[in-house]
Amino acid sequence: MLSLTGSGQFSTRYAQDRRIFRLWQARAGLAVLLAVAYVVVPLWASDYWFSAILIPFLVLSLAGLGLNLLTGYAGQLSLGSAAFMAIGAFAAYNFQLRVEGLPFLVSFVLGGLVAAVAGVVSGLPSLRIKGFYLIVSTLAAQFIVEWTLTKFGWFSNFNPSGVITAPPLVMLGTDLSSPAGRYLLTLSVVTALFALAGRIVRSDLGRNWMAVRDMDTAAAVIGIPVVRTKLLAFAISSFFCGVAGSLWAFAYLGTVEPHGFDLNRSFQVLFIIIIGGMGSILGNFLGAAFVVLLPLLLSNLGGSLLAGVIAPGDTENLQKILFGVLIIVFLIREPEGLASLWRGLWARARVWPLRD
């Protein structure tokens, strides 16, 4: 337990200090938030909210988490997130197709493991290069994976269009193919993986990642295995992205082709961690909310304010320009992301009304 004193709550054991949420208020708030997500939202939300907002928000949060573990915590730059999402999705599809009776959740895990292996291979150049050159290396992986999945029809079961279709989403006799069912499936997977990531970043491995990120030479001097630490970062990051790709293909879209995981998707995931905050678990949710909700808001405002004034095609381009400008303005005003803004608000709230 935390020691309660007149001046605050303090950890009395090292294990307590490594908790994701050290304060009981934060743990209570999380419990309330999960109760709302699991009970209130399925009763209140419409099919549109499930399919167009909540599911992509959760999946992109998970993809952002995968990249954040690699870039925000381990300091290894990457532009290949969508490639590992594609590997996870197509691997899960083939496991479902070729292994009879395999539960789809097991297929998702196996797809993530295949993506993790590909991530290790992609991460090998990080042992010799860093910075811009590492970005170019991961960018090559993005194009190679997309080309491979398009060129060889075996991965899509020789579908002429290269499209793969979702397996039956049935678990323990319950059909999860409805929008609410797919939302609950996605929410459960994302919650479990975020909890796992929170434990990882506070473990010895997470501390090793941050040491390598800050200065890999100093990390090697104090005995941290830099090679293993970097490759584990690529493997675990790719695993999370692979599971996110499976959810994107099967819980969100239902069908997907290799071009659905193109470079634009990688940039979208990168924007999530930049806007949300590097090296932050919460920042992935905040960044994904920004990326998912802001275009919808701009679309609705543009449709109502500019109807009849600007052609629909021009309105869409104007929305993209405005979205980019807002990102630039936000990064200038809050370069450490929305997570930093939230931490500042939380710190002020904790001392209110004592603060002037």
Side-chain angles (χ1 to χ4, degrees):
M1 294 180 61
L2 290 177
S3 175
L4 301 179
T5 71
S7 57
Q9 302 177 45
F10 302 94
S11 300
T12 58
R13 293 194 299 271
Y14 182 63
Q16 297 169 352
D17 197 49
R18 298 173 70 170
R19 286 178 175 176
I20 302 176
F21 299 99
R22 294 178 56 246
L23 302 180
W24 70 265
Q25 294 94 333
R27 294 194 292 273
L30 176 64
V32 172
L33 182 62
L34 289 177
V36 171
Y38 275 101
V39 179
V40 178
V41 171
L43 296 176
W44 165 79
S46 63
D47 289 351
Y48 172 79
W49 269 85
F50 287 130
S51 300
I53 298 176
L54 294 175
I55 294 176
F57 158 70
L58 290 171
V59 177
L60 289 175
S61 298
L62 182 59
L65 174 63
L67 181 59
N68 218 335
L69 292 176
L70 179 66
T71 302
Y73 285 97
Q76 307 303 303
L77 304 180
S78 173
L79 266 181
S81 304
F84 303 117
M85 292 176 68
I87 291 173
F90 277 79
Y93 168 78
N94 278 279
F95 279 117
Q96 275 287 300
L97 179 68
R98 306 179 195 285
V99 182
E100 186 177 356
L102 187 68
F104 69 88
L105 283 179
V106 177
S107 299
F108 289 177
V109 173
L110 293 175
L113 292 176
V114 173
V117 174
V120 171
V121 175
S122 176
L124 290 176
S126 70
L127 305 181
R128 301 296 298 270
I129 60 178
K130 62 180 65 175
F132 172 78
Y133 301 100
L134 183 57
I135 291 179
V136 173
S137 173
T138 57
L139 186 62
Q142 170 70 47
F143 291 118
I144 290 173
V145 169
E146 188 176 346
W147 176 83
T148 301
L149 296 177
T150 305
K151 180 69 175 179
F152 300 99
W154 183 88
F155 294 106
S156 59
N157 198 28
F158 299 99
N159 188 312
S161 60
V163 175
I164 60 175
T165 305
L169 299 180
V170 179
M171 185 172 61
L172 300 177
T174 303
D175 186 6
L176 300 176
S177 59
S178 66
R182 290 184 283 112
Y183 161 75
L184 290 173
L185 166 66
T186 305
L187 176 63
S188 299
V189 174
V190 170
T191 301
L193 290 181
F194 264 84
L196 175 62
R199 297 299 297 269
I200 290 175
V201 298
R202 285 164 176 79
S203 66
D204 293 339
L205 177 59
R207 296 175 188 274
N208 290 347
W209 282 348
M210 288 180 272
V212 171
R213 174 195 64 191
D214 294 338
M215 186 173 292
D216 53 0
T217 303
V221 169
I222 63 175
I224 293 177
V226 175
V227 172
R228 186 177 68 183
T229 299
K230 286 184 177 181
L231 293 183
L232 278 174
F234 274 95
I236 295 175
S237 167
S238 300
F239 173 82
F240 279 69
C241 288
V243 176
S246 299
L247 291 173
W248 185 265
F250 303 141
Y252 173 43
L253 295 177
T255 59
V256 71
E257 60 179 351
H259 296 299
F261 299 103
D262 59 6
L263 185 60
N264 290 331
R265 188 72 60 208
S266 291
F267 275 116
Q268 186 181 40
V269 177
L270 180 62
F271 290 154
I272 286 173
I273 69 168
I274 293 175
I275 295 170
M278 295 278 196
S280 169
I281 298 294
L282 175 63
N284 302 293
F285 285 113
L286 300 177
F290 186 93
V291 168
V292 171
L293 295 178
L294 185 61
L296 292 176
L297 178 62
L298 294 177
S299 177
N300 291 330
L301 289 177
S304 60
L305 298 178
L306 301 177
V309 178
I310 300 179
D314 295 334
T315 302
E316 184 178 354
N317 293 330
L318 183 62
Q319 292 167 6
K320 293 179 180 179
I321 294 172
L322 183 58
F323 180 67
V325 170
L326 287 175
I327 290 177
I328 294 173
V329 171
F330 172 78
L331 292 179
I332 294 174
R333 298 290 299 173
E334 195 61 47
E336 296 185 3
L338 289 171
S340 175
L341 181 62
W342 170 259
R343 286 193 295 267
L345 293 174
W346 176 253
R348 287 194 292 270
R350 289 182 62 188
V351 298
W352 182 89
L354 301 178
R355 183 181 179 90
D356 294 333

